[in-house]
Amino acid sequence: MDEEFRLLVAEIAQHKDSAYYRAAHLDARVASASRDARSIVVEFTARDSEIGHARCLDEGLVATVADFWTSALITAISGGRGAVTTTLSVQALKHLTAGTRVHVLCSATSPDSHAMPYATARFVSAADHND
């Protein structure tokens, strides 16, 4: 794990100024990070209020969390240039119960001089990343 990079991403996330993101009220933390792999793992525990009628994480929460943490990752790897979300797609595929520890696996492409990197976020069980 790249502790310096993990702390950088956490610091960027702490200073994001969007009230919309704060509205999610999610107690999440950067569990690990790798500057070389351009990736972070964010961890949180699912609560009843975050699980929808289909027994999956609420899609709005998934979109907000994915947008928040991938933009923090892109900001970190692009030298602070920031990120703009232009496309966001969400699919809820797995049932879960309250108390499940969730890992959000975020990864980004390498930035270049012509385009911002893009990122993906995959939500998995902390107990089994293949789940």
Side-chain angles (χ1 to χ4, degrees):
M1 177 169 72
D2 183 338
E3 182 65 9
E4 182 180 323
F5 186 63
R6 185 189 75 78
L7 292 172
L8 173 63
V9 174
E11 175 76 12
I12 289 168
Q14 182 180 23
H15 290 26
K16 289 176 85 56
D17 60 0
S18 172
Y20 178 73
Y21 289 133
R22 281 189 231 113
H25 300 295
L26 187 69
D27 186 20
R29 68 179 191 89
V30 180
S32 65
S34 171
R35 184 184 306 270
D36 291 340
R38 297 175 305 281
S39 66
I40 60 174
V41 176
V42 175
E43 181 178 79
F44 68 94
T45 301
R47 300 178 296 206
D48 278 328
S49 61
E50 297 156 351
I51 299 171
H53 292 295
R55 298 182 318 195
C56 299
L57 282 174
D58 177 80
E59 293 88 350
L61 173 79
V62 169
T64 300
V65 170
D67 186 39
F68 181 87
W69 288 106
T70 56
S71 68
L73 173 60
I74 288 172
T75 299
I77 66 171
S78 66
R81 288 193 322 189
V84 175
T85 301
T86 57
T87 304
L88 183 63
S89 176
V90 174
Q91 293 180 333
L93 301 174
K94 296 284 184 179
H95 294 169
L96 77 158
T97 57
T100 300
R101 280 189 18 219
V102 176
H103 277 179
V104 184
L105 312 177
C106 302
S107 59
T109 61
S110 181
D112 65 32
S113 61
H114 301 291
M116 287 296 291
Y118 68 88
T120 62
R122 193 169 136 242
F123 291 65
V124 298
S125 165
D128 181 3
H129 284 194
N130 295 316
D131 186 21

